[in-house]
């Protein structure tokens, strides 16, 4: 990606981040809204180098922690790891098909929930039940929202 297409992509990522906070806080949907912050991080990590993606993950984790103060450090730590892993995934997996991106977003969101649970221990309360029942559904929801957003971006870009 060069020139205007590169700028358009990063504006799309910024729109996803702003939309995440508008839906979750501004409109009060909280957990009913998809986790667009993770989607933005994972999509950006595919286009950035691993170090830059880790830095973006740290920044987004701090933003997320500013809204939910009790997981400030944990969210920043986990999103940094997720950004780095997403940046390295480009070297391992080539291609941008919708099936790959759906699987990539699903696994990324589920990995985020799992790592956040391992770091915090009792953040979700119900533990394994959350990771096996609720987390895959939220990961599927985030992947579907991410693919819809990406399809809209590709249609207009």
């Amino acid at each position: 990606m060069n020139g205007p297409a590169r700028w358009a992509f990063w504006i799309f990522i910024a729109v996803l981040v702003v939309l995440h906070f508008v839906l979750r806080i501004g409109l009060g949907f909280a957990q009913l809204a998809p986790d667009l912050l993770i989607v933005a991080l994972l999509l950006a990590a595919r286009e950035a180098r691993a170090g830059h993606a880790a830095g973006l993950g740290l920044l987004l984790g701090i933003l997320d922690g500013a809204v939910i103060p009790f997981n400030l450090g944990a969210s920043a730590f986990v999103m940094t790891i997720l950004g780095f892993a997403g940046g390295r995934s480009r070297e391992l997996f080539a291609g941008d098909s919708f099936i790959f991106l759906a699987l990539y977003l699903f696994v990324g969101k589920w990995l985020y929930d799992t790592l956040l649970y391992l770091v915090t221990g009792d953040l979700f309360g119900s533990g394994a039940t959350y990771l096996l029942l609720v987390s895959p559904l939220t990961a599927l929801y985030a992947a579907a929202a991410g693919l819809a957003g990406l399809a809209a971006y590709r249609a207009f870009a």
Side-chain angles (χ1 to χ4, degrees), residues 2-133:
N2 292 330
R6 186 169 184 81
W7 282 103
F9 177 76
W10 290 107
I11 290 171
F12 168 67
I13 295 300
V15 166
L16 284 178
V17 171
V18 169
L19 192 59
H20 171 82
F21 291 114
V22 166
L23 289 173
R24 290 206 171 204
I25 297 159
L27 297 177
F29 289 140
Q31 296 299 322
L32 295 177
D35 197 349
L36 295 178
L37 210 57
I38 301 298
V39 170
L41 173 64
L42 290 170
L43 290 177
R46 292 286 297 168
E47 297 297 325
R49 292 191 304 230
H52 292 138
L56 179 64
L58 178 64
L59 176 70
L60 293 179
I62 290 171
L63 281 175
D64 189 38
V67 175
I68 307 170
F70 65 87
N71 73 345
L72 173 63
S75 179
F77 176 70
V78 170
M79 288 183 86
T80 301
I81 291 172
L82 194 62
F84 183 78
R88 296 298 301 240
S89 72
R90 185 181 54 192
E91 298 168 6
L92 299 173
F93 305 106
D96 284 332
S97 71
F98 277 114
I99 294 172
F100 170 74
L101 287 173
L103 186 61
Y104 172 71
L105 293 173
F106 176 81
V107 169
K109 171 64 173 132
W110 201 0
L111 183 64
Y112 171 78
D113 288 343
T114 304
L115 288 175
L116 194 62
Y117 174 73
L118 291 174
V119 168
T120 59
D122 61 347
L123 180 64
F124 304 115
S126 57
T129 305
Y130 179 86
L131 291 176
L132 295 176
L133 297 177

Side-chain angles (χ1 to χ4, degrees), residues 134-146:
V134 177
S135 183
L137 293 176
T138 61
L140 186 62
Y141 185 34

